[in-house]
Amino acid sequence: MKKDFINEDWSEVVVIVLERNATEKQIENVIKHLEDYGFSVHKSTGVEQIVLGAIGVQPNFDSRKISIIDGVLQVHRITEPFKLASRTFQKENSVLKIKNVELGGVAIPVIAGPCSVESEEQMMTIAEIVKNAGAKILRGGAFKPRTSPYSFQGLGEEGLKLLRKAGDEYELAVVTEVMESGQIEIVEKYSDIIQIGARNMQNFSLLRELGKTQKPIMLKRGMAATVEDWLMSAEYILASGNKHVFLCERGIRTFETYTRNTFDVSAIPVVHKRSHLPVAADPSHATGLRDKVVPMARAAVAAGADAIMVEVHHDPEKALSDGPQALLPKQFEDMMKQLKAIAEVIGRTM
Ligand code: PEP
Ligand code: MN
């Protein structure tokens, strides 16, 4: 972040609990360190314990600097390290306008399509299915982050063209992933939303580059990322100049092996409390298994997700990636009806 970007209103609040037997000299030393970092310090003396309250403009403050000083028992940073992404910075929900789709408002758009763009026939077939069932955004990867270098890596620009063509034909906005900075220009040309995949959530140079565009960005949660890590990554894009960001919970790695990942449904209300950014949910990558996707999509809507993204394939046996988690057309249609009913109960629409 540029130094001159730091806002004077971003005061940091830190509470320092001192050890019971801290000496006067140690306490003075802690206060001096805090003041040297630019904090103004208030000392509260209790019956048995002394607590220091520190306030200052220090967005990159590292609490470890204080916790290692003699006499310090605990350091609690009260303010969040993300600023532009926080509810404190913006009280109202961010609502993104993507073509004629609103994301973050009352309606919950569904993003659907195959894992990978494979052929024109495949894209046209799936686009028609998902459009007829009520999807608003078409997905399809042209640059695929695959665990194995021997797996299908995506069709590249040819795939982008097919995605765009199918989106235009069926009046669907489109989303696709970029894996590296060099792909941004071309993906920007064909896509309405740029996806940052789980594996790139902390690719900070890529996030900075995306901050220079004005395209809506869907930032997926890294598989080992805390919500704070995730919001810090969103902060990179926002601080670099692009305010059109939404998040996507896609499951995290846990010790569980019966599903591909563990779907962290609670991340949805947690994000809503901490941040004004919309949060989507991707139950396909979160579970990895077709029969688990619809129940988790229902849970995500009930938990307040602002968009649902699912993989759909008309012939998943032959899919070049993620066939086992792709919904069949009939499952997708049924899911859409169920989600609509759940959305209504919580005052939202599909
Ligand atoms: C995807 O959505 O195509 C994808 C690769 O997801 P993730 O980055 O969440 O694994
Ligand atoms: Mn996939």
Side-chain angles (χ1 to χ4, degrees), residues 116-127:
S116 301
V117 177
E118 299 167 2
S119 68
E120 178 163 349
E121 193 227 332
Q122 174 233 22
M123 285 313 295
M124 289 296 177
T125 306
I126 299 174

Side-chain angles (χ1 to χ4, degrees), residues 139 144-145 177 195 197-199 220 250 282 285 309 311:
R139 65 152 286 147
K144 294 302 302 176
E177 178 164 355
Q195 169 172 334
R199 292 155 190 83
K220 297 192 89 174
R250 49 78 71 207
D282 168 0
H285 291 88
M309 179 160 85
E311 290 184 344

Side-chain angles (χ1 to χ4, degrees), residues 141-184:
F143 297 106
K144 294 302 302 176
R146 304 306 301 281
T147 302
S148 166
Y150 310 117
S151 300
F152 176 60
Q153 304 286 306
L155 294 180
E157 184 170 7
E158 181 54 23
L160 296 175
K161 286 184 183 161
L162 297 178
L163 175 69
R164 183 76 264 166
K165 193 170 176 192
D168 288 347
E169 179 74 25
Y170 291 97
E171 291 179 350
L172 293 160
V174 302
V175 56
T176 196
E177 178 164 355
V178 295
M179 287 167 55
E180 50 181 276
S181 303
Q183 295 163 352
I184 294 176

Side-chain angles (χ1 to χ4, degrees), residues 34-337:
L34 287 163
E35 286 175 347
D36 287 349
Y37 291 130
F39 285 106
S40 47
V41 184
H42 183 273
K43 183 171 146 192
S44 305
T45 310
V47 182
E48 294 185 29
Q49 208 126 22
I50 294 175
V51 170
L52 303 176
I55 298 185
V57 181
Q58 276 290 337
N60 59 1
F61 173 68
D62 183 346
S63 59
R64 290 175 304 171
K65 286 180 175 171
I66 301 299
S67 61
I68 51 161
I69 303 174
D70 287 345
V72 173
L73 182 65
Q74 289 169 351
V75 180
H76 301 280
R77 186 176 178 171
I78 308 298
T79 30
E80 286 149 333
F82 46 91
K83 303 295 172 198
L84 300 171
S86 77
R87 274 269 176 224
T88 319
F89 178 77
Q90 184 184 311
K91 294 262 172 299
E92 320 76 50
N93 292 339
S94 278
V95 179
L96 309 188
K97 294 223 167 31
I98 304 155
K99 292 198 131 180
N100 56 355
V101 184
E102 229 182 50
L103 202 154
V106 173
I108 306 167
V110 169
I111 307 168
C115 179
S116 301
V117 177
E118 299 167 2
S119 68
E120 178 163 349
E121 193 227 332
Q122 174 233 22
M123 285 313 295
M124 289 296 177
T125 306
I126 299 174
E128 184 177 11
I129 292 165
V130 302
K131 171 76 185 190
N132 287 340
K136 296 284 189 294
I137 302 168
L138 181 67
R139 65 152 286 147
F143 297 106
K144 294 302 302 176
R146 304 306 301 281
T147 302
S148 166
Y150 310 117
S151 300
F152 176 60
Q153 304 286 306
L155 294 180
E157 184 170 7
E158 181 54 23
L160 296 175
K161 286 184 183 161
L162 297 178
L163 175 69
R164 183 76 264 166
K165 193 170 176 192
D168 288 347
E169 179 74 25
Y170 291 97
E171 291 179 350
L172 293 160
V174 302
V175 56
T176 196
E177 178 164 355
V178 295
M179 287 167 55
E180 50 181 276
S181 303
Q183 295 163 352
I184 294 176
E185 202 180 323
I186 185 169
V187 170
E188 217 185 339
K189 185 169 143 201
Y190 292 103
S191 188
D192 303 307
I193 304 169
I194 298 179
Q195 169 172 334
I196 299 298
R199 292 155 190 83
N200 267 318
M201 189 205 83
Q202 285 189 317
N203 182 338
F204 300 119
S205 54
L206 180 59
L207 299 177
R208 274 214 194 85
E209 286 303 312
L210 288 163
K212 295 182 192 157
T213 80
Q214 287 305 308
K215 273 275 169 188
I217 309 291
M218 177 172 73
L219 178 66
K220 297 192 89 174
R221 181 179 183 179
M223 47 190 104
T226 62
V227 172
E228 186 169 297
D229 294 336
W230 192 17
L231 288 170
M232 288 307 285
S233 290
E235 188 80 8
Y236 262 91
I237 305 171
L238 298 169
S240 307
N242 186 351
K243 303 211 166 357
H244 314 288
V245 178
F246 68 101
L247 304 158
C248 179
E249 163 62 39
R250 49 78 71 207
I252 48 174
R253 278 270 164 91
T254 67
F255 46 79
E256 183 51 64
T257 55
Y258 283 177
T259 47
R260 184 179 182 185
N261 292 289
T262 295
F263 187 34
D264 183 7
V265 195
S266 67
I268 298 164
V270 169
V271 167
H272 280 154
K273 164 105 180 164
R274 304 267 165 189
S275 175
H276 55 85
L277 298 175
V279 57
D282 168 0
S284 302
H285 291 88
T287 62
L289 299 160
R290 182 175 306 132
D291 60 332
K292 316 289 185 295
V293 174
V294 176
M296 290 303 95
R298 293 193 300 248
V301 169
D306 296 302
I308 298 292
M309 179 160 85
V310 288
E311 290 184 344
V312 177
H313 205 292
H314 63 300
D315 190 4
E317 296 282 311
K318 298 214 182 73
L320 296 180
S321 61
D322 282 348
Q325 70 192 30
L327 292 178
L328 296 161
K330 171 80 170 73
Q331 286 177 307
F332 181 68
E333 287 156 18
D334 290 345
M335 180 193 84
M336 293 299 285
K337 288 182 197 135

